[in-house]
Amino acid sequence: MFSFQRFSLFLFCSFLSLSSLFAQSSPADSIEIAIDRLMAKMTLEEKIGQMNQYNGFWDVTGPAPKAGADKFKYDHFKQGLVGSVLNVRGVKQVRALQEMVVKESGLGIPLLFGFDAVHGYNTVLPIPLAEAASWDLPAIERSARVTATEAAASGINWTFAPMVDISRDARWGRVMEGAGEDPYLGSQIAMARVKGFQGNDFRSPFNILATAKHFAGYGFAEGGRDYNTVDVSPLTLHNIILPPFKASVQQGVASVMNSFNIINGVPATANRYLVQDILKRDWKFKGVVVSDWGSGVEMIDHGYAENLSQVAALSANAGSDVDMESYAYVNHLKNQVTNGNVSVAVIDQSVRRVLRLKFLLGLFNDPYKYCDSTREQVYAMHPEHASVARDMARRSMVLLKNDQDLLPLKPAGKKIAVIGSLAADKNSPLGNWRLAAKDSSAVSLVEALDAAGVSYTYAPGVQLVAGGPVHFVQELPINENDTTGMAQAISVAKDADVVIMMLGEHGLQSGEGRSRAQLNLPGLQQSLLEAVHKVNPRIVLVLMSGRPLAISWAAAHVPGILLAWQPGSQSGHAIVDVLLGKYNPAGKLPMTFPRSDRQLPIYYNQFSTGRPGPKKEVFWSHYIDEAHTPLYEFGYGKSYTQFSYSDLQITPSKDSVSITVTLTNTGSLKGEEVAQLYIHDRVSSVVRPVRELKGFKKLLLEPGARTSIRFDLPRSAFGYFDAQGKWFLEPGLFDIYVGGSSFASLTGAVQL
Ligand code: BGC
């Protein structure tokens, strides 16, 4: 049996941060020595075992499986042929499995326990795309901290988050999981999330390993159809897709997950260029690369490998260290070593990476570090987490429209109608990644109105979901026919002073495997909206959604629109805080809202064409049946107060450019504004986007107050990656824009 005492010399190894480890400080050297010693004792099978990850498959505290696939896996745990596991959670289960492996498998190397704690655990935070709309990095970090704290308290030490895929196509269901379309904002948020999950060191049993996923290009699936082909230019790869991964690595992220897709003809899991050359060599990433679920075996369907044995060699040689649920390494890697297709050195490098994380977490000192049932009771759902979730949800909301000053609502003496089945739904607001949370545990809008003492009449109108319990792995049946409830909703709306309509997508209409071809209000909701509008146009639409929707009709006809996204456990309370003006909304879109799904992909940092317009004749780049502009642009979002920008000054110096601007709160309420800085490289040897976000600042201003904002951009910020991934800085003239969205009109220029 493996003796932990022998490694007591290295106790201090757990008192480390990833950055110090990866900087190869002397404690890190001690870890490497400890790994050498351990690896010297390991057989090839045991080494390959560290590269094998299984999904949880039986109640660990119950009887052992007696036959079939379950027994096969169970035996592998006992034989030390598994290095990590996912979806085994709860202190009892984790402890039981860890104990079995530590006590009964050959060397007793502790397991890593992974889970998709993406936007919460028991307490569900807003979906990541919503959080990105806050542009509030400390709040996003705090949110990830809550997730880490709860997951860690229930035995998890590795989360498969943050998802840092940039995407320009709202049809792709997984846009809910990322930070939107911009590489700069995406990089800042990636770092905040990694920090939130991992903290500064691993002494704390509340810090867990994070995973930047999915490497790479997954957000560029053709047509927005999940798992589809990705074919992108090297310029898009280096300038748009890779920056958030690089930022995560610089922040010390512990692991990176391969994506499912092929990218430019090669599956990401077997992509040496991405994994070996860029990630491990150029970026010096020292953590673990884990495959996505079965992304190894899927290479056979991609037409890249003939069989699982080939999959094993291709993935291992490409630098994919851990095989999640493909059974390729555990069944075939040894043969591939024996027949010379994979070298022992390749195996050793991967095993070293896995063991490094285990040492770093201190699992050799205490394999049960995350198995404290008292901590589980206290922190699994700490009351403070509810207030973080509520605050994060409010910060995530985007006020899209507020004509007639319908908002903030003054409910006293008013007849308020609340319409929409989502308004009473306690499940949908949890969004997609909520596997640890109790079903239907969110505070609904109507519950929150009750709690706030607002009187209203509720009519669900048409149902969004057609019957049955909803399920994470099944298609959601949408009600397309049953109009029961429509007439009642119309009659309730008729008499009201104001109608709050909560419409949009169900939480399980976005996420993995949930691409949509149409971005309309699903089911019969558009008919409901139009029918209510006919009798009473004084509508505040609260839009619940996991992605940008095409809501042109609502934008043209409805005076108030609040984008709530899927706000998580505290959904209703946060929405009511915003509706009543207890919180002044300040969210800004991290992803363009199209006028129509037929405009997709649509994004702000596009290239100019040679025929920009508008022009009098037809020969310019546009559609004849739809505008080519967005409905709501990237960075857009209103407040209950107003802001103005003035006095733009641009001062170049040797190493940087300083840009100052005056921001004034010209309205009558205190409020926050996200001031955004964009650049445009007028002429360069590779054409550059019409605008690129390079900085932002979120500020709170009293009514009438003004403040000076200063951005200091290093000269390097004016460069770009060339097709080889080298940062390239060209002299020339650059436009600068500062304002409250990507349409910012205050502009100047600088010659560099
Ligand atoms: C998803 C990953 C996730 C993994 C494990 C896959 O289907 O693409 O994002 O981490 O499952 O649950």
Coordinates of all heavy atoms in Angstrom, one line a residue, residues 53 86-87 115-116 118 160-161 163 174 177 213-214 218 227 257-258 260 291-293 324 433 435 512, ligand 1:
Q53 N -10.3 8.5 -16.9 CA -11.3 9.1 -16.0 C -12.7 8.5 -16.3 O -13.0 8.3 -17.5 CB -11.4 10.6 -16.3 CG -12.5 11.3 -15.5 CD -12.5 12.8 -15.7 OE1 -13.3 13.3 -16.4 NE2 -11.6 13.5 -15.1
L86 N -15.8 11.6 -12.5 CA -16.7 12.8 -12.5 C -18.1 12.4 -12.1 O -18.4 11.2 -12.2 CB -16.7 13.5 -13.9 CG -17.5 12.9 -15.0 CD1 -17.9 14.0 -16.0 CD2 -16.7 11.9 -15.8
N87 N -18.8 13.3 -11.5 CA -20.2 13.1 -11.1 C -20.3 12.2 -9.9 O -21.4 11.6 -9.7 CB -21.0 12.6 -12.3 CG -21.2 13.7 -13.3 OD1 -21.2 14.9 -13.0 ND2 -21.3 13.3 -14.6
F115 N -16.5 17.7 -11.5 CA -18.0 18.0 -11.6 C -18.2 19.3 -12.4 O -17.3 20.2 -12.4 CB -18.6 18.1 -10.2 CG -20.2 18.2 -10.3 CD1 -20.9 17.1 -10.6 CD2 -20.8 19.4 -10.0 CE1 -22.3 17.2 -10.7 CE2 -22.2 19.5 -10.1 CZ -22.9 18.4 -10.4
D116 N -19.3 19.3 -13.1 CA -19.6 20.6 -13.9 C -20.3 21.6 -12.9 O -21.5 21.8 -13.0 CB -20.5 20.3 -15.1 CG -19.7 19.5 -16.1 OD1 -19.0 20.2 -16.9 OD2 -19.9 18.3 -16.2
V118 N -20.7 24.8 -12.8 CA -20.5 25.9 -13.8 C -21.0 27.2 -13.4 O -20.3 28.2 -13.4 CB -21.1 25.5 -15.2 CG1 -20.9 26.6 -16.2 CG2 -20.4 24.2 -15.7
F160 N -15.3 21.6 -14.0 CA -15.1 21.7 -15.4 C -15.7 23.1 -15.9 O -16.7 23.2 -16.6 CB -15.8 20.6 -16.2 CG -15.2 19.2 -15.7 CD1 -16.1 18.2 -15.4 CD2 -13.9 19.0 -15.7 CE1 -15.5 16.9 -15.0 CE2 -13.3 17.8 -15.3 CZ -14.2 16.7 -14.9
A161 N -15.1 24.1 -15.4 CA -15.5 25.5 -15.7 C -14.3 26.3 -15.4 O -13.4 25.9 -14.6 CB -16.7 25.9 -14.8
M163 N -16.2 27.9 -18.9 CA -16.2 27.7 -20.3 C -15.9 29.1 -20.9 O -16.4 30.1 -20.6 CB -17.7 27.3 -20.7 CG -17.8 26.8 -22.1 SD -18.1 28.2 -23.2 CE -19.5 27.6 -24.0
R174 N -24.9 26.6 -26.4 CA -23.9 26.8 -25.3 C -23.4 28.2 -25.1 O -22.5 28.4 -24.3 CB -22.7 25.8 -25.5 CG -23.2 24.3 -25.5 CD -22.1 23.3 -25.3 NE -21.8 23.2 -23.9 CZ -21.0 22.2 -23.4 NH1 -20.6 21.3 -24.2 NH2 -20.7 22.2 -22.1
E177 N -23.2 29.5 -21.6 CA -22.2 29.0 -20.7 C -20.9 29.8 -20.8 O -20.0 29.7 -20.0 CB -21.8 27.6 -21.2 CG -21.7 26.6 -20.2 CD -21.4 25.2 -20.8 OE1 -22.2 24.8 -21.7 OE2 -20.4 24.6 -20.4
K213 N -12.4 25.6 -20.8 CA -12.9 24.7 -21.9 C -13.7 25.5 -22.9 O -14.1 26.6 -22.6 CB -13.7 23.6 -21.3 CG -15.1 24.1 -20.7 CD -15.8 22.9 -20.0 CE -17.2 23.3 -19.6 NZ -17.9 22.3 -18.8
H214 N -13.8 25.0 -24.1 CA -13.4 23.8 -24.7 C -12.4 24.1 -25.8 O -12.7 24.9 -26.7 CB -14.6 23.0 -25.3 CG -15.7 22.9 -24.4 ND1 -16.7 23.8 -24.1 CD2 -16.1 21.8 -23.6 CE1 -17.6 23.4 -23.3 NE2 -17.3 22.2 -22.9
Y218 N -14.8 25.5 -30.3 CA -16.2 24.9 -30.2 C -17.3 25.9 -30.4 O -18.3 25.6 -31.0 CB -16.3 24.4 -28.7 CG -17.4 23.5 -28.4 CD1 -18.0 22.6 -29.3 CD2 -17.9 23.5 -27.1 CE1 -19.1 21.8 -29.0 CE2 -18.9 22.6 -26.7 CZ -19.5 21.8 -27.7 OH -20.6 21.0 -27.3
Y227 N -21.7 20.5 -31.8 CA -20.8 19.5 -32.2 C -20.4 19.6 -33.7 O -19.7 18.7 -34.2 CB -21.4 18.1 -32.0 CG -22.1 17.9 -30.7 CD1 -23.5 17.5 -30.6 CD2 -21.4 18.0 -29.5 CE1 -24.1 17.3 -29.4 CE2 -22.1 17.9 -28.2 CZ -23.4 17.5 -28.2 OH -24.0 17.3 -27.0
M257 N -9.8 21.7 -21.1 CA -10.5 20.5 -21.7 C -10.6 20.7 -23.3 O -10.8 21.7 -23.8 CB -12.0 20.5 -21.2 CG -12.8 19.3 -21.7 SD -14.5 19.4 -21.1 CE -14.4 19.0 -19.4
N258 N -10.3 19.5 -23.9 CA -10.4 19.5 -25.4 C -11.8 19.7 -25.8 O -12.7 19.4 -25.1 CB -10.0 18.1 -26.0 CG -8.6 17.7 -25.6 OD1 -8.5 16.6 -25.0 ND2 -7.6 18.4 -26.0
F260 N -15.1 19.0 -28.6 CA -15.6 17.9 -29.3 C -15.3 18.0 -30.8 O -15.2 17.1 -31.5 CB -17.1 17.9 -29.3 CG -17.7 17.4 -28.0 CD1 -18.6 18.2 -27.2 CD2 -17.4 16.1 -27.5 CE1 -19.1 17.7 -26.0 CE2 -17.9 15.6 -26.3 CZ -18.8 16.4 -25.6
S291 N -9.8 15.3 -21.9 CA -10.7 15.2 -23.1 C -12.1 15.6 -22.7 O -12.4 15.6 -21.5 CB -10.7 13.8 -23.7 OG -11.6 13.0 -23.0
D292 N -12.9 16.0 -23.7 CA -14.3 16.1 -23.3 C -14.9 14.7 -23.3 O -14.3 13.7 -23.7 CB -15.0 17.0 -24.3 CG -16.3 17.6 -23.6 OD1 -16.7 17.1 -22.6 OD2 -16.9 18.5 -24.2
W293 N -16.1 14.6 -22.8 CA -16.7 13.3 -22.6 C -16.8 12.6 -24.0 O -17.5 12.9 -24.9 CB -18.2 13.5 -22.1 CG -18.9 12.3 -21.9 CD1 -19.3 11.3 -22.8 CD2 -19.4 11.8 -20.6 NE1 -20.0 10.3 -22.2 CE2 -20.1 10.6 -20.9 CE3 -19.4 12.3 -19.3 CZ2 -20.7 9.9 -19.8 CZ3 -20.1 11.6 -18.3 CH2 -20.7 10.4 -18.6
M324 N -11.6 11.2 -20.8 CA -12.9 11.1 -20.1 C -13.8 10.2 -20.9 O -14.3 10.6 -22.0 CB -13.5 12.5 -20.0 CG -14.8 12.6 -19.2 SD -15.7 14.2 -19.5 CE -14.8 15.3 -18.5
W433 N -26.9 24.4 -16.4 CA -26.0 23.6 -15.6 C -26.4 23.7 -14.1 O -25.9 24.5 -13.4 CB -24.5 24.1 -15.7 CG -23.8 23.6 -16.9 CD1 -23.3 24.3 -17.9 CD2 -23.5 22.2 -17.2 NE1 -22.7 23.5 -18.8 CE2 -22.8 22.2 -18.5 CE3 -23.7 21.0 -16.6 CZ2 -22.3 21.1 -19.1 CZ3 -23.2 19.8 -17.2 CH2 -22.5 19.9 -18.4
L435 N -27.1 20.7 -12.1 CA -27.2 19.3 -11.8 C -27.2 19.0 -10.3 O -27.8 18.0 -9.9 CB -26.1 18.5 -12.5 CG -26.3 18.4 -14.0 CD1 -25.1 17.8 -14.6 CD2 -27.6 17.7 -14.4
E512 N -25.9 22.5 -23.7 CA -25.4 21.5 -24.6 C -26.5 20.8 -25.4 O -27.5 20.4 -24.8 CB -24.5 20.5 -23.9 CG -23.8 19.5 -24.8 CD -22.9 18.5 -24.2 OE1 -22.6 18.7 -23.0 OE2 -22.5 17.6 -24.9
Ligands
BGC1 C1 -19.5 18.8 -22.0 C2 -18.5 19.3 -21.1 C3 -18.6 18.7 -19.7 C4 -18.5 17.2 -19.8 C5 -18.6 16.5 -18.4 C6 -19.6 17.2 -21.9 O1 -20.7 16.8 -22.6 O2 -19.2 19.2 -23.3 O3 -18.5 20.7 -21.0 O4 -17.6 19.2 -18.8 O5 -19.6 16.8 -20.6 O6 -19.9 16.6 -17.9

